[in-house]
Amino acid sequence: NAGVTQTPKFQVLKTGQSMTLQCAQDMNHNSMYWYRQDPGMGLRLIYYSASEGTTDKGEVPNGYNVSRLNKREFSLRLESAAPSQTSVYFCASNIKRGHNEQFFGPGTRLTVL
Amino acid sequence: GQSLEQPSEVTAVEGAIVQINCTYQTSGFYGLSWYQQHDGGAPTFLSYNALDGLEETGRFSSFLSRSDSYGYLLLQELQMKDSASYFCAVGSGGYQKVTFGTGTKLQVIP
């Protein structure tokens, strides 16, 4: 039982490049989330998926797209990376509607030059 | 929208008790939860309060007052390994949308 896994762990991009961050969970959770965390800051919600087949914008969706490929997988795409997107990205999941216990992946540390 | 306030830093002595407060403004409140994050690590869930009162999990307790839009995390018998950042988070709306506070960095000193 791996929990929530994310790939890659580290990535360096040049401005304008694109990439996809992958996330998968093996806990049969319905909801999945993408957050970004900047130094000294809390987690800001980028997008979330309450269930397979649905996605919704969070607090900071601009510059990102997501795909809920199936119940297990939720990917985050940066179409044209910008230095302002340098951050640590966390994927999370939880099962119970209205209950805030989220399980987090180890994070992807992204630098955009 | 949602907003949460918590102190940015707290220092406490090993073996002591520390309380980290969190006040929030939100619509459609779903519950208050607490997460711990060590430097370089991922957040891990500590506790959740949907109803008023105290929830206890080992050395950690969490309290909620919905009428005051206020909660706190209480850490007892502090250990050096408790040095970390602690985030409160609220669920809101009709979906599982969660908003996090900016975190309280706890330093435990000998």
Side-chain angles (χ1 to χ4, degrees):
Chain A
N1 200 348
V4 180
T5 56
Q6 292 182 236
T7 55
K9 286 187 168 52
F10 300 93
Q11 184 71 48
V12 179
L13 293 177
K14 294 181 179 178
T15 297
Q17 287 185 316
S18 62
M19 79 161 296
T20 299
L21 281 64
Q22 306 287 354
C23 174
Q25 52 90 10
D26 62 1
M27 297 173 284
N28 201 35
H29 286 174
N30 293 320
S31 301
M32 297 185 74
Y33 305 78
W34 277 106
Y35 294 92
R36 61 176 288 172
Q37 185 175 36
D38 300 304
M41 300 283 288
L43 295 126
R44 291 185 292 169
L45 182 64
I46 304 172
Y47 272 93
Y48 65 104
S49 171
S51 61
E52 186 180 354
T54 68
T55 60
D56 286 282
K57 294 179 181 178
E59 191 183 343
V60 288
N62 291 345
Y64 305 95
N65 286 301
V66 291
S67 295
R68 183 74 183 268
L69 304 169
N70 47 56
K71 192 170 186 179
R72 289 187 65 247
E73 298 172 288
F74 189 38
S75 62
L76 178 73
R77 183 160 177 83
L78 287 70
E79 291 291 351
S80 179
S84 61
Q85 294 178 305
T86 293
S87 190
V88 180
Y89 291 85
F90 289 102
C91 176
S93 69
N94 74 349
I95 190 168
K96 201 168 173 181
R97 186 181 180 88
H99 189 288
N100 292 353
E101 180 174 1
Q102 297 196 352
F103 295 81
F104 283 81
T108 294
R109 281 147 184 82
L110 175 67
T111 301
V112 183
L113 302 175
Chain B
Q2 284 73 245
S3 68
L4 298 95
E5 285 192 22
Q6 50 182 131
S8 58
E9 293 182 357
V10 172
T11 300
V13 177
E14 189 178 14
I17 299 172
V18 71
Q19 179 174 313
I20 299 173
N21 298 320
C22 175
T23 57
Y24 60 87
Q25 288 185 314
T26 185
S27 57
F29 177 77
Y30 249 86
L32 181 72
S33 48
W34 290 91
Y35 289 80
Q36 179 191 60
Q37 185 180 31
H38 287 99
D39 285 347
T44 56
F45 173 81
L46 290 176
S47 69
Y48 173 69
N49 294 72
L51 303 174
D52 290 354
L54 194 68
E55 294 282 341
E56 297 180 74
T57 309
R59 293 188 297 115
F60 295 179
S61 302
S62 58
F63 172 82
L64 174 66
S65 169
R66 288 176 298 169
S67 60
D68 295 323
S69 297
Y70 163 76
Y72 65 73
L73 179 70
L74 193 73
L75 294 82
Q76 302 182 74
E77 300 172 15
L78 280 172
Q79 301 175 9
M80 299 301 291
K81 67 178 182 180
D82 296 329
S83 292
S85 292
Y86 293 84
F87 296 89
C88 57
V90 292
S92 61
Y95 306 93
Q96 297 200 33
K97 190 171 180 179
V98 179
T99 303
F100 283 78
T102 53
T104 298
K105 191 171 181 67
L106 171 65
Q107 182 182 15
V108 180
I109 58 176

